[in-house]
Amino acid sequence: MTLRRCTVEHSFGTIKAWMGATHFLLRRLKNMRSEMALDVLAYNIKRMVALIGFRRVVEAIPA
Protein backbone atom coordinates (compact mmCIF):
# COMPACT_ATOMS: atom_id res chain seq x y z
CA MET A 1 0.00 0.00 0.00
CA THR A 2 2.87 2.36 0.76
CA LEU A 3 4.44 1.78 -2.66
CA ARG A 4 1.09 2.26 -4.38
CA ARG A 5 0.46 5.47 -2.46
CA CYS A 6 3.81 6.84 -3.61
CA THR A 7 3.49 5.94 -7.29
CA VAL A 8 -0.11 5.62 -8.41
CA GLU A 9 -2.26 7.70 -6.08
CA HIS A 10 -0.28 10.88 -6.73
CA SER A 11 -0.88 10.59 -10.47
CA PHE A 12 -4.62 10.10 -10.10
CA GLY A 13 -4.85 12.97 -7.63
CA THR A 14 -2.96 15.23 -10.00
CA ILE A 15 -5.20 14.27 -12.92
CA LYS A 16 -8.25 15.08 -10.82
CA ALA A 17 -6.83 18.43 -9.75
CA TRP A 18 -5.43 19.57 -13.12
CA MET A 19 -8.20 18.39 -15.38
CA GLY A 20 -11.19 18.41 -13.09
CA ALA A 21 -11.65 14.71 -13.76
CA THR A 22 -13.71 14.03 -10.65
CA HIS A 23 -15.98 11.60 -12.49
CA PHE A 24 -16.20 10.07 -15.93
CA LEU A 25 -18.35 11.89 -18.46
CA LEU A 26 -19.00 8.87 -20.68
CA ARG A 27 -20.86 5.65 -19.98
CA ARG A 28 -19.88 2.06 -20.68
CA LEU A 29 -16.53 0.53 -19.86
CA LYS A 30 -15.05 0.97 -23.36
CA ASN A 31 -15.83 4.69 -23.38
CA MET A 32 -14.58 5.15 -19.82
CA ARG A 33 -11.30 3.48 -20.73
CA SER A 34 -10.89 5.82 -23.71
CA GLU A 35 -11.59 8.84 -21.54
CA MET A 36 -9.08 7.71 -18.91
CA ALA A 37 -6.48 6.96 -21.60
CA LEU A 38 -6.79 10.53 -22.91
CA ASP A 39 -6.44 11.94 -19.39
CA VAL A 40 -3.33 9.84 -18.75
CA LEU A 41 -1.83 10.82 -22.12
CA ALA A 42 -2.35 14.50 -21.37
CA TYR A 43 -0.84 14.01 -17.89
CA ASN A 44 2.24 12.30 -19.36
CA ILE A 45 2.75 15.02 -21.97
CA LYS A 46 2.46 17.76 -19.33
CA ARG A 47 4.99 15.93 -17.17
CA MET A 48 7.43 15.55 -20.06
CA VAL A 49 7.18 19.25 -20.90
CA ALA A 50 7.74 20.14 -17.25
CA LEU A 51 10.77 17.84 -16.94
CA ILE A 52 12.65 18.34 -20.20
CA GLY A 53 11.04 21.38 -21.82
CA PHE A 54 8.76 21.91 -24.78
CA ARG A 55 11.53 22.22 -27.36
CA ARG A 56 13.11 18.84 -26.48
CA VAL A 57 9.69 17.15 -26.48
CA VAL A 58 9.01 18.45 -29.99
CA GLU A 59 12.48 17.39 -31.15
CA ALA A 60 11.88 13.88 -29.78
CA ILE A 61 8.76 13.42 -31.89
CA PRO A 62 9.73 11.90 -35.25
CA ALA A 63 8.53 13.97 -38.20
Side-chain angles (χ1 to χ4, degrees):
M1 188 63 183
T2 302
L3 179 60
R4 177 182 170 173
R5 188 178 305 125
C6 294
T7 56
V8 176
E9 297 297 333
H10 181 267
S11 302
F12 285 123
T14 304
I15 288 171
K16 285 175 67 174
W18 279 355
M19 299 170 194
T22 56
H23 61 280
F24 293 107
L25 302 175
L26 302 174
R27 295 181 185 256
R28 310 246 187 236
L29 184 59
K30 179 183 171 188
N31 295 334
M32 184 272 313
R33 284 182 179 161
S34 299
E35 185 178 348
M36 188 63 192
L38 288 173
D39 286 342
V40 170
L41 178 66
Y43 171 79
N44 288 335
I45 291 172
K46 286 177 94 167
R47 288 284 297 147
M48 283 185 358
V49 169
L51 292 173
I52 65 173
F54 181 75
R55 186 173 305 246
R56 288 188 57 200
V57 170
V58 172
E59 290 172 357
I61 299 172

